[in-house]
Amino acid sequence: QVQLVESGGGLVQAGGSLTLSCATSGIEFSLNRMAWYRQTPGKERELVARITITGITDYSESVKGRFTISRDGAKKTVYLQMNSLKPEDTAVYYCYADPSPYGGSRYWGQGIQVTVSS
């Protein structure tokens, strides 16, 4: 059974920090590109950050320089360190696993709320 379980969300003041974790099971973590997306009501889910199986990272312009994505193969976990948080970072954050190009299904976590107060 595949599980992507996010944790670490919550309420934080603007300028503060949070670290999201996504613990995976049931997937071949080492062969999955991992990513974080976020979504606010009425808007499409947007890519925040992604990391390849070799550790190459990519960020949306809105979070570049403030967020850091990383992965731990031993723990089969991907992280999103979020610094200098802004109210506009408020969203539900989702973990995403993509086994491309090796084949297989893509999976989403259940999502976790991050709220940044001004």
Side-chain angles (χ1 to χ4, degrees):
Q1 181 181 2
V2 175
Q3 286 190 310
L4 278 66
V5 181
E6 299 105 334
S7 61
L11 174 65
V12 64
Q13 287 189 333
S17 298
L18 281 175
T19 299
L20 302 183
S21 300
C22 173
T24 72
S25 60
I27 63 171
E28 188 58 59
F29 184 79
S30 63
L31 296 182
N32 273 263
R33 299 183 291 191
M34 301 299 298
W36 288 96
Y37 284 74
R38 67 187 181 188
Q39 189 171 25
T40 54
K43 293 188 176 182
E44 290 191 358
R45 198 169 293 187
E46 64 170 355
L47 177 67
V48 175
R50 55 190 173 190
I51 184 167
T52 68
I53 61 174
T54 58
I56 297 171
T57 59
D58 187 27
Y59 300 91
S60 69
E61 285 300 319
S62 62
V63 307
K64 197 172 291 185
R66 299 188 298 122
F67 290 11
T68 302
I69 188 171
S70 61
R71 61 191 297 157
D72 184 331
K75 296 182 178 179
K76 299 183 180 181
T77 298
V78 62
Y79 304 96
L80 185 68
Q81 173 68 44
M82 305 185 293
N83 298 327
S84 302
L85 282 160
K86 304 175 181 180
E88 51 263 43
D89 294 317
T90 296
V92 177
Y93 284 71
Y94 296 89
C95 179
Y96 178 66
D98 179 4
S100 302
Y102 302 101
S105 300
R106 302 170 184 179
Y107 295 97
W108 291 95
Q110 80 284 358
I112 192 163
Q113 179 70 45
V114 171
T115 302
V116 184
S117 63
S118 56

